[in-house]
Every structure is written in structure tokens, then in C-alpha cells.
Amino acid sequence: MSTSHTDAADIAASLRAAMVDELREMDAVISESVVAALAGVPRHLFAPGEPLEAAYAANHALVVKRDTGGLALSSLSAAHIQAVMLEQAEIKPGMRVLEIGSGGYNAALIQELVGTEGTVVSVDIDPDIVDRARACLATAGYDRVEVVLADAENGVPEHAPYDRIIVTAGAWDIPPAWVDQLSAAGRIVVPLRMRGRTRTIAFDRSDDVLVSRSYCLAAFVPMQGSGAFSEHIVQLAEGVVLRVDEEPQRFDVEALRRALNSPRMERWSGAAFDLPDELELFLLTNTPQVAMLHADEDLVDQGWFAPSAARGVPALISGGSFAYRTKRPNQEIGGFESGVFAHGPEAEAVAAEYVELLRRWASDHRRRGAARIQYIPKTARTSLPSRGLISKRHGTVVVTWP
Ligand SMILES: C[S@@+](CC[C@H](N)C(=O)[O-])C[C@H]1O[C@@H](n2cnc3c(N)ncnc32)[C@H](O)[C@@H]1O
């Protein structure tokens, strides 16, 4: 081996060790088995042509392929989210694992976790990605991973059942094949989009339904093929949109545009504001007429919108009126208080409904523990509760709170 090769390998090894240390500090990795896999697999061999520093940046995804409009179709996901998902999956030696969405690196990590007695199948819809993944795996010496070219909507039945399925593209639904191809005590880790936000959720199979063990906010390239899903964007004004997962005609768009130009009403809940991601999930799943409101940063800077709208905030919509969450400092409650801005002829009523939700969250659920997320396939013999439902094509997501 030439000196420069030895130097590059040494640099890669020290960058890899630093990446693992950083992932530990971020609490992305906890278990020794995942640490050992991350420390052992040469990630840079799955990012040919990229600088070593980029390959080993803990929180940075590397785009591998874009569509003609520039949208990322495939990436080497950030090591951080890969570590989080592997921790969620709790993969043990000897398991059979299906990875949906290939690239090679994550499959190599899984191969380390299942060991020589286990099986790793990785499926991708894109022939270029399949070829690339096979080549990278061969270079890195992981020739036992089976890389399959297919639309994962149908799973990979020829190698099923699987103890674990790890989905590495953003899904809007859970197709029946994924549940059917899980073993009786199997687990699926899937970035699932619910009302405009994606969370990677670890679901255990429990008879014919899926029950969450953990979840974490995440962003992924979109699922392609027959499970592809596009959100609806409803423009209310220049720089102001509603992003809706359901049909946009449910909203009276013209009336909402008028509401936007009407004076703003403020109402305050008296309740403390914290755990914003959990509150957001509660708000999104406790009212049927909800959409994510997004406003450009400069409109926020000019005072037209609360800062919450720049990141996207659940908006409660009723006819031609809407309300969304904001916050203000409040020394009496030792931090921030949640409140509502509302517009439109029914602003008073929609603000009151929103404030009631904020109070219910604060009094009944805040800091009582994480949500329980279930996926109930349409074919399951389970009755649905009346609250916390999100309808999907193949089933229903049910979100409940302790
Ligand atoms: C984030 S990349 C996968 C990263 C990979 N797991 C790694 O280790 O680097 C997501 C992949 O999902 C693939 N994909 C999207 N929709 C798919 C589908 N319906 N079936 C199979 N693969 C799909 C894309 O082609 C893309 O390569």
C-alpha cells in the first residue's frame, strides 16, 4: 500500500472515531453493538468522491441523486439519524432484516449487527442506486448483503419473514406487505409522515396492529413508486401557505385569504409552553380541521406573523377563519405562556377552541410521557377510538397520550 493510501486510511479511522464520540455525546448511540458497528464500517467507502470530513460529519446527509428539478431522491443519510434508527430497531445477532432504500452503508452496519448467522436484504426502486450500493458493498467487503431492485411497496416476499424492517425513505403510509412480511414479534422502524411532519417511529407488531415503542422527528427523501404521496400546498398570499396532507377543497380558500387581511385577535391560555414537538403532535392529532401554516421569515420579521409560523405551526381552521399557536414570556409561570393568534369572522370561536386544546394539553398530558402511536391496518379486527385519528390509504394512525 502506498504512503498516501495509508495516510488516508489513518485519517478516515481517526475521523470515524471522532464521529462515534460525537454521536455518543448527542445520545444518538447508546448500545455497545451500534457503537461497534459505526466504529467498524468504513463510511467513506460509501461516499466515493466526497472529502473524508464530509463522509464523517455526524449530522450531515450526502445527496447521491437528484431529480431534474433538484429534489434529492437518494442520499447517504446523516450518521446521526442512522444511529438513532438502529438504536430504535434493537437488532440482535442472527436476525433477518429488510432495509427499504439502499445505499450500502446502513446495510453494512446492519450486517455487523446481525453477524454471520443473520440475513440482510436491501431493496431500492432505482437501478442506479442498486448498482452503486452493490459496488460500494463489494469494495468494503460486505458481500453477504442481498441488494434487490424493486418497488418496496410490495416488500421483498421471497426473503420474508423479517424480524426487523428499517425504512430509509419518507413514507406516508404503511403498506399491507410490510406488516404481512414482519415476523409475529417483529419490529418496523419507519419515517412516517403524519399531518405534515415526519417522525421515525419504531412499531412492534402486536397481532394484526402495530404499536409504537419510540419516535423521533426526522427528515427523509420521499418514497417513490406506488406508495408515493404529495402534500397539497394552498397559497393564501405571497409567502404564506397551508400545507395539507388531505384534500385542499375542504377549506374555503377565498374566505381564508380574506381572513388573512382582517385584524388579528390575541388570546392567551395561562398555560406554560414547552416541549414544542410534543405539543405540535397533540395539536395535529386532536382536531380534524388542521393544516400546517408556513409564512416566510420576512413576514415574521415585519410583524405579520408570530415566529412559530416561520418553522410551520398547526393552524386550526373553521370556515373562513383560522387560529395558530404563539407564545410570550410570562414570569409568573417561569418561562413562556402559550397563546393564539386568530383571524376571520369566527376568530373568537376558533381562538377559544385552540386555547382549550392548549389548556387540555398542559393540564392533562404535558410531561406525563410520550404519545402512544398505533397503526391499525384496514384489515385488522380492532375498533377505533373517537380521538387522535389520522386516516391513511391502508389503515389509520391512532395517537393517544398518557
Ligand atoms: C435516504 S436513501 C437510502 C439511504 C441508505 N439506506 C444508506 O444507507 O445510505 C432513500 C432511498 O430510498 C429509495 N426509494 C424511494 N422509494 C422507494 C421505493 N418505493 N422502493 C424502494 N426504494 C425506494 C430511493 O431510491 C433512495 O435511494
Side-chain angles (χ1 to χ4, degrees), residues 91-97 111 113-119 163:
I91 296 166
K92 302 279 184 283
M95 281 186 167
R96 301 177 66 77
V97 182
Q111 181 66 67
L113 292 165
V114 299
T116 50
E117 301 298 308
T119 303
D163 302 300

Side-chain angles (χ1 to χ4, degrees), residues 73-77 82 99-107 123-126 129 150-153 168-169 220-227:
L73 293 178
S74 188
S75 61
L76 169 53
S77 302
Q82 291 177 316
E99 180 196 39
I100 292 177
S102 309
Y105 177 63
N106 195 46
V123 59
D124 204 287
I125 198 168
D126 185 328
I129 301 301
D151 183 345
E153 179 79 1
T168 65
F220 271 86
V221 299
M223 188 67 69
Q224 303 168 51
S226 46

Side-chain angles (χ1 to χ4, degrees), residues 3 12 20 54 113 136 148 172 236 247 249 282 344 347 374 377 389:
T3 314
V20 174
L113 292 165
C136 291
V148 176
W172 183 78
L236 295 185
E247 293 299 310
Q249 57 266 30
F282 176 79
Q374 285 174 277
L389 308 182

Side-chain angles (χ1 to χ4, degrees), residues 178-199:
W178 298 358
V179 184
D180 293 348
Q181 290 170 28
L182 263 187
S183 62
R187 183 178 301 173
I188 178 166
V189 181
V190 52
L192 185 66
R193 185 186 159 90
M194 298 181 293
R195 294 235 160 101
R197 287 258 195 254
T198 299
R199 285 174 170 78

Side-chain angles (χ1 to χ4, degrees), residues 81 84-86 88 166-167 188-194 197-203 214-220 373:
I81 192 64
V84 166
M85 291 177 82
L86 291 175
Q88 287 184 293
I166 301 196
V167 184
I188 178 166
V189 181
V190 52
L192 185 66
R193 185 186 159 90
M194 298 181 293
R197 287 258 195 254
T198 299
R199 285 174 170 78
T200 153
I201 308 176
F203 283 113
S214 62
Y215 57 86
C216 169
L217 276 173
F220 271 86
I373 306 173

